[in-house]
Amino acid sequence: MLKIMGLVRGATLALPLEALLLGATASAQTAAVLEAPREQVVAQPTGRAAGEQQQGAPVALTLKRAIEMALRNSKDIQVAKLQASLATHASQVSKAEFLPSVYAGSGAGYTYGIPETPGGRAPSVFSLTYTEQVFNEPLRGQGKELEEQARSQKIVLEDVKNSVIARTAMAYLELAKVRHSQALLRGEQESADKILHVTLERQGEGYELPVEVTKAQLTKAQVTQRILQLEGREDQLEVFLREQIGLGQEQAIEVTPEELPGEAEQEGANLVAMTMHNNAGLLLAESDVRAKEFRLKGEKRGYFPTLEAVSTYSLLANFNNYSEFYKKFQRNNFNAGVQVQVPLFSARTREAIGLAQINLETSQATLATKKTQVSAEVRQKTLHLRERDAAKEVARLELQLAQQNIGVLETQYNEGKVNLREVERARLEENDKWMAFLDANFERQQAQLDLLRTAGQLDKVWQ
């Protein structure tokens, strides 16, 4: 049986291909065929990576290392952390109303008649005021709402981390696929050159029509076009991956095809149950319901009295002519106590309760809808992953069949039953099947990443 590296003829593959190709259902014959590239794993990188390697030592990345670097250097995560910190500080502002506050002040002014300030207090050279909310349920409900919103920002932060993991893993896996495809296309290029050469010779001898030459030229041009397209895509992925993991724009990187760790193909009921506890969208919707419940509870208690501890010290001056209006002047004055307000009628409280009730009902309806959507989404993505599994198996068997066909044609070529052009065409077809398999495997990995993220398990598979 002809080995696959013999078909590529000189193209270098720094890739552990047996990890991609050997499924649980592969036969012993298939394993023998598809493990052939093993001895050439340490070959040199191809495409842009080969040219960039001369500029500096390339960074060899595994999928796990790339994700770790992205989590350390992602600007999106830094912004999410700042937003979480901002929400935490905002919640502390409302909570601070129930902590002691002390103010000192002084001032000067002209008085005519009874000395008093615009606030009704006596003018003082120096004053010290203490306030603290003791019982104020509407204000406490607002504070708990803000605290819950601050906690929800931590969920947003985790979701941003999952997004970074997904983007980095997708770019890494696609870059490995693109580089492998480039190596295969260079093998196709050699086969297309041979086909064109043989066809031109046969045309010169009068055995081929010009249309066959045009077909051979078209095949070669199509291969060249695909190589250029892959080189462009490789450049885009390299730039994106360097930015994600925090490398310089001219730093060469090496990647290796890998399978995703962990298993996402669980039974539908188990996976849905896990999703209900870990999906970021659901967790945010549940947090929003709790926040609205705190606000409504506080507003409903707006009919309760409010209690505030207050204390004031004032240092008065005799030049304000206190003695002309009061029988006794005292320079140092201090008072302390509580201020109680009982709402006999409050239109604002009634309207605030109505608004909080509507906001809570809206959040509850949103949560119910989100649960239905997520449950359906998980089942749909699980089915899509199984379809991708089936497509990958079909592509693997088609590749195996193409390799076996080459073995048959080479035997016939050695016996003089077929010409070289037929063998090279079979090699072109085999390379196409290789690329189809790589595409099918990458699409399966995309589906698995998507399902893991929806189920809230994406960050756990790399722990």
Side-chain angles (χ1 to χ4, degrees):
M1 178 65 68
L2 184 65
K3 292 185 178 182
I4 182 61
M5 291 306 297
L7 306 180
V8 177
R9 298 179 310 285
T12 55
L13 298 177
L15 307 169
L17 301 177
E18 69 278 4
L20 293 174
L21 296 167
L22 289 179
T25 59
S27 63
Q29 181 182 13
T30 304
V33 172
L34 301 184
E35 283 188 336
R38 191 187 198 104
E39 60 272 17
Q40 304 200 27
V41 165
V42 295
Q44 300 176 356
T46 61
R48 285 176 51 85
E52 291 178 353
Q53 190 173 7
Q54 300 175 358
Q55 299 178 5
V59 177
L61 295 175
T62 62
L63 179 56
K64 183 176 180 179
R65 185 187 176 196
I67 290 173
E68 290 173 349
M69 293 175 68
L71 291 175
R72 286 197 305 268
N73 296 287
S74 172
K75 294 181 177 61
D76 292 339
I77 293 178
Q78 294 172 8
V79 172
K81 287 181 179 179
L82 291 174
Q83 291 175 339
S85 179
L86 179 64
T88 299
H89 284 292
S91 68
Q92 294 301 319
V93 172
S94 179
K95 187 177 181 181
E97 295 288 339
F98 293 89
L99 299 176
S101 298
V102 180
Y103 305 93
S106 179
Y110 171 78
T111 62
Y112 178 77
I114 297 177
E116 62 179 358
T117 63
R121 294 174 55 183
S124 60
V125 177
F126 174 78
S127 66
L128 198 64
T129 303
Y130 160 85
T131 62
E132 179 182 355
Q133 290 286 346
V134 178
F135 189 81
N136 190 325
E137 289 302 288
L139 187 60
R140 191 179 298 278
Q142 294 175 21
K144 289 185 177 181
E145 179 186 29
L146 291 173
E147 288 178 5
E148 185 61 37
Q149 290 175 351
R151 285 190 286 269
S152 72
Q153 283 299 315
K154 296 180 181 179
I155 302 174
V156 173
L157 175 59
E158 293 302 316
D159 189 48
V160 171
K161 289 181 179 179
N162 286 338
S163 177
V164 170
I165 291 174
R167 292 199 306 265
T168 303
M170 201 72 69
Y172 182 98
L173 295 170
E174 186 177 1
L175 181 58
K177 177 186 79 78
V178 165
R179 287 184 174 176
H180 188 180
S181 299
Q182 283 181 312
L184 294 172
L185 283 174
R186 287 183 174 84
E188 284 197 31
Q189 200 170 35
E190 292 183 19
S191 294
D193 286 338
K194 287 186 178 181
I195 291 174
L196 179 59
H197 179 71
V198 171
T199 304
L200 287 172
E201 285 184 349
R202 289 175 59 82
Q203 183 196 28
E205 296 170 358
Y207 294 109
E208 293 288 356
L209 295 174
V211 67
E212 296 299 328
V213 176
T214 302
K215 289 180 181 179
Q217 291 173 336
L218 175 61
T219 299
K220 181 179 178 180
Q222 289 172 335
V223 172
T224 302
Q225 180 188 32
R226 293 167 71 186
I227 289 176
L228 292 174
Q229 290 172 342
L230 286 178
E231 287 177 350
R233 183 56 180 166
E234 179 188 21
D235 182 74
Q236 293 175 355
L237 292 170
E238 286 178 349
V239 170
F240 176 79
L241 196 55
R242 289 192 196 102
E243 181 182 1
Q244 287 290 109
I245 64 180
L247 293 180
Q249 288 302 312
E250 298 302 323
Q251 179 67 60
I253 54 179
E254 292 180 353
V255 297
T256 304
E258 297 183 30
E259 289 296 333
L260 297 175
E263 290 294 333
E265 305 90 337
Q266 305 185 29
E267 292 297 327
N270 294 336
L271 194 57
V272 169
M274 291 173 60
T275 302
M276 293 301 169
H277 290 90
N278 297 286
N279 180 268
L282 279 178
L283 293 177
L284 285 173
E286 290 172 352
S287 177
D288 188 56
V289 169
R290 287 193 297 271
K292 297 300 187 294
E293 287 174 344
F294 287 135
R295 183 62 177 266
L296 178 60
K297 183 178 180 180
E299 296 296 352
K300 284 183 176 180
R301 294 183 175 182
Y303 293 112
F304 293 180
T306 61
L307 179 64
E308 182 180 10
V310 295
S311 178
T312 304
Y313 165 77
S314 300
L315 178 63
L316 305 182
N318 196 30
F319 55 73
N320 285 108
N321 301 320
Y322 287 105
S323 59
E324 295 182 8
F325 299 95
Y326 302 99
K327 291 183 179 181
K328 181 180 178 181
F329 170 70
Q330 181 173 314
R331 184 174 178 82
N332 293 287
N333 298 270
F334 174 77
N335 59 75
V338 293
Q339 180 177 330
V340 180
Q341 289 185 336
V342 180
L344 300 179
F345 175 79
S346 176
R348 181 202 170 280
T349 299
R350 184 180 65 251
E351 297 302 327
I353 292 174
L355 177 61
Q357 182 68 48
I358 293 298
N359 285 334
L360 175 59
E361 292 174 0
T362 302
S363 296
Q364 290 172 336
T366 301
L367 175 60
T369 302
K370 190 69 177 177
K371 286 182 177 179
T372 303
Q373 291 176 344
V374 169
S375 176
E377 188 177 1
V378 169
R379 297 181 188 278
Q380 181 181 4
K381 290 182 178 181
T382 302
L383 178 60
H384 180 65
L385 179 58
R386 291 174 180 171
E387 292 173 353
R388 293 299 93 201
D389 278 331
K392 176 184 175 182
E393 178 64 11
V394 170
R396 187 189 67 81
L397 292 173
E398 288 179 344
L399 172 59
Q400 179 184 350
L401 184 61
Q403 290 175 328
Q404 293 172 344
N405 185 46
I406 289 178
V408 173
L409 288 176
E410 286 206 331
T411 300
Q412 294 177 346
Y413 175 74
N414 293 332
E415 296 173 354
K417 296 181 179 179
V418 297
N419 57 38
L420 179 62
R421 185 171 60 179
E422 296 299 321
V423 176
E424 294 300 329
R425 283 178 175 170
R427 287 172 176 166
L428 284 178
E429 181 180 357
E430 188 253 3
N431 278 350
D432 287 339
K433 298 302 181 183
W434 254 109
M435 295 184 66
F437 173 80
L438 293 177
D439 289 339
N441 185 69
F442 178 64
E443 289 174 0
R444 185 205 175 278
Q445 290 172 328
Q446 283 182 308
Q448 187 175 2
L449 280 172
D450 195 20
L451 179 57
L452 284 170
R453 184 179 179 185
T454 302
Q457 302 298 309
L458 190 56
D459 59 333
K460 297 178 178 60
V461 296
W462 277 281
Q463 291 179 354

